[in-house]
Every structure is written in structure tokens, then in C-alpha cells.
Amino acid sequence: MKRITTLLTGAASLALVAFGAQAETKIAHVPGGPHPFFADWEPASMAAKEDFNLGAADYRFPQKWELNLQNDLLESLVTQGYNAFAIHPGDPVGSVPTLNELVGTGAPVIAVSACVNDPSDVSFCLASDAGVSAYTGTKHLIEAMGPGTKKIAHFTGWLVEPNTQLRIDGVAKAAAEAGVEIVQVIADIDAPEPAEEKIGAYLAAHGSEIDGVITTAWVPAVVASNAMRRIGDQRIKMVAIDHDEVVMDAIRDGYVVGSMLQNPYGQAYVAAFAADKLLNGCEVSADAPFADHPLTARFIDSGAPYVDAGNVDARADVDRAMTEELMRKVEADFLSCN
């Protein structure tokens, strides 16, 4: 699979890099498919272009969550002159060959909001630790349910998505430690139609049998939040993920206990900063303090704070503080620009 390398042979951007000149950075933020989680990537791209004086910083996504469509889009972006990439990989293993090809052209590639399996040639992975976030969210749920024998259901995302199995494992670990029974895991529902159908059917048939719900993907979190509001008695405790306003309002009104944040804006913004630096002479520090991660040895944890009724109205401030700390950490600890 050498299509991208062939397309770029002799390209101007590569010539600039080869001779050590300052390259005009044109970065593309590319998720694995359309999804509300990535809506913040577009304003983050626009801000990064202005703040870092980039030639271009654009948010582009394939029309479906299919790996071949993401690969085709990346190839197209190369021919359009993009020379740096922040990518949410569509598959932790299947994405690696294409990302390696991009790196082979001289373009810095950063995996953002999800990682690929080592070995790969990407500079690093910048994301929340999905497994730890799911573990922590489940611990909050267990605390909210109180003592005694408890049963919970877990609603999560696409199984092909790199974070999903990590989240399933994180929930299972927290439940096992507390002696809580996971009576149902429903995956592959991170889209409105399957989430509405399967969550609605499950709660209608088994809602009276469970004490809690943990959701670890955006759309199931929104659908389950609405379901908790319709049920109305607040007996079933729920912890969600991400910051959709449906979820935030459900927290304010007491139907959802809390939510684990990921800060997609900050991830995309800082990735653009780092990619520009890497394209123009900086390197990943030899002694970079990468965090442990099940998929890669080059992981930068962007954080996963918890919001509940006590701080939900300060959510934007929480994200802003995360972005500032992530920028400081990446610049000071992970890049070498001598």
C-alpha cells in the first residue's frame, strides 16, 4: 500500500522539510467518521490556525465510519497539500499502515482521542485514558448507588473503535472490585437509531431489575439521559461520558449523577500546535515522560475530569484549564526544539 508515498514524490512540502526550511503547516484533523464528539474539532482547528499562524488547519471527516473511506480521505488530503495530521484512527490495527505511509512522506502524524497499537510510526497518541476514565466513572456510579448488592447495565460504542474494549474492561474491573454485577453490556450503539432502539427496549424490559447505568460513548449517554428523565423516579443511578447539553441538563436536574469529560477541543488544538512544531524542526523528546497505556508506549494523557451537580455549570472552565495544562505539558515535557 504505497499510494500516498507515490502521490507525494517530489511535492514542494517535502522539499522544504528536506532542506530544513520552515514549512507552511497545513494540518488536517480527521476522525474515523461523522460523530458529535468531533464537533469541537472544527472550532479548535480555526483557533489553532489563527493562534499558531498556520497555513491551514481544517476539520475533514469521511461520510461513514468505514476504514477504507478514512484512508481514501487521507490520500485525498495529501494531494491537496496537507502536510501534518491529527487523526482519530478508525481501527487500532487497521489504521496503522496508512498512518505509517503518511509519516513516511515527512508529515507528522498524531493519534488524537484514540490510539493505535504499537508498533507504529506516529509521533505519539494524545487522548484521555479510555480504560481509566471508564473505571473512574464506574466507581462514581457505585458510590452513588450506595451499599448492598447492586446490578448495573453498560451502554457503549462501536466495537471497532479503539477505545470501546478498553472501556468495557475498565467498567468490568471497577465492578469486580466492588462486587457489583454487570447484567448487560450493549455495544455497537453509538448512533441515534440503534441507541434509541436497544436502550429503550432494554430499559422497558429490565429497568426494574437494575440499580445503575454506566454509559461510555456519546450517543448512548444522550439517549440514556433522556430515558432517565422519562422514567423520572431517579431510582436508577447513571454516570455518563462527554458533555452533550442533554447530559449536562440531566445532571443539573438530578436524573444523571455525573459525566466523565474528554475535552475534544483541547485535544485537537494542542495536537495542531505539536504537529506544527514537529514539522518545523522540533522532535519528540528522547526522555518524554509518556504514560502507561494498553495500546502504545507513547501515550500523553489529556485527562478525564468528572463533572457532577457541584461543578457542571463550570464545565467550560474545567475544559479550559485542561487545555492550558495540556499545552504546557506537551511543550515543556514532550517536545525538544533546540
Side-chain angles (χ1 to χ4, degrees):
M1 186 174 175
K2 297 294 183 184
R3 294 184 303 175
I4 293 176
T5 304
T6 301
L7 285 165
L8 262 187
T9 299
S13 59
L14 290 183
L16 284 168
V17 173
F19 288 100
Q22 289 290 301
E24 182 183 57
T25 301
K26 296 182 67 175
I27 183 169
H29 291 85
V30 183
H35 190 276
F37 173 83
F38 302 106
D40 284 350
W41 280 23
E42 183 161 27
S45 299
M46 296 169 64
K49 180 179 184 296
E50 180 175 347
D51 292 350
F52 309 134
N53 194 29
L54 307 181
D58 295 308
Y59 170 54
R60 298 287 185 266
F61 58 89
Q63 293 306 305
K64 294 182 180 178
W65 198 284
E66 295 180 4
L67 184 57
N68 63 318
L69 295 181
Q70 186 184 39
N71 290 341
D72 289 346
L73 175 59
L74 291 169
E75 178 183 329
S76 172
L77 291 170
V78 168
T79 66
Q80 296 171 44
Y82 289 90
N83 55 10
F85 295 89
I87 299 172
H88 180 109
D91 184 287
V93 176
S95 293
V96 171
T98 298
L99 270 55
N100 285 350
E101 272 204 75
L102 291 173
V103 175
T105 69
V109 176
I110 299 172
V112 181
S113 69
C115 305
V116 290
N117 279 73
D118 284 345
S120 81
D121 296 332
V122 302
S123 297
F124 49 76
C125 174
L126 178 66
S128 299
D129 190 319
V132 171
S133 173
Y135 173 85
T136 303
T138 307
K139 298 286 280 187
H140 284 296
L141 174 63
I142 292 167
E143 180 181 4
M145 291 189 299
T149 302
K150 303 297 181 185
K151 297 180 179 180
I152 66 172
H154 179 196
F155 306 142
T156 191
W158 306 114
L159 288 171
V160 70
E161 203 276 332
N163 291 323
T164 299
Q165 188 58 52
L166 301 177
R167 288 167 172 152
I168 291 173
D169 294 343
V171 171
K173 178 183 178 183
E177 288 177 356
V180 168
E181 181 182 359
I182 302 172
V183 295
Q184 184 72 53
V185 178
I186 302 179
D188 274 337
I189 56 170
D190 203 9
E193 184 174 348
E196 291 282 0
E197 177 184 345
K198 294 188 178 181
I199 291 175
Y202 179 79
L203 291 176
H206 302 287
S208 62
E209 303 167 8
I210 61 172
D211 305 287
V213 167
I214 180 82
T215 58
T216 57
W218 186 294
V219 177
V222 172
V223 171
S225 294
N226 283 330
M228 293 300 110
R229 186 181 290 277
R230 285 195 300 272
I231 292 171
D233 63 8
Q234 302 181 11
R235 184 192 63 80
I236 301 174
K237 306 304 180 185
M238 173 180 157
V239 169
I241 190 171
D242 296 321
H243 60 272
D244 191 285
E245 276 306 308
V246 169
V247 176
M248 298 296 102
D249 285 344
I251 293 172
R252 292 185 182 97
D253 296 337
Y255 296 105
V256 170
V257 176
S259 185
M260 302 299 301
L261 302 182
Q262 298 190 76
N263 188 22
Y265 180 99
Q267 292 171 345
Y269 182 82
V270 175
F273 165 80
D276 178 51
K277 292 294 185 183
L278 291 169
L279 185 64
N280 287 290
C282 297
E283 298 177 346
V284 177
S285 298
D287 57 351
F290 289 116
D292 293 335
H293 191 278
L295 301 184
T296 179
R298 287 165 290 157
F299 177 63
I300 300 176
D301 188 352
S302 63
Y306 178 69
V307 293
D308 58 15
N311 64 347
V312 64
D313 289 328
R315 197 271 301 172
D317 294 334
V318 173
D319 276 352
R320 191 175 301 111
M322 288 176 65
T323 301
E324 292 174 359
E325 171 59 18
L326 184 60
M327 175 70 83
R328 184 206 63 75
K329 184 168 67 174
V330 168
E331 184 172 21
D333 300 337
F334 292 90
L335 296 178
S336 176
C337 301
N338 295 328

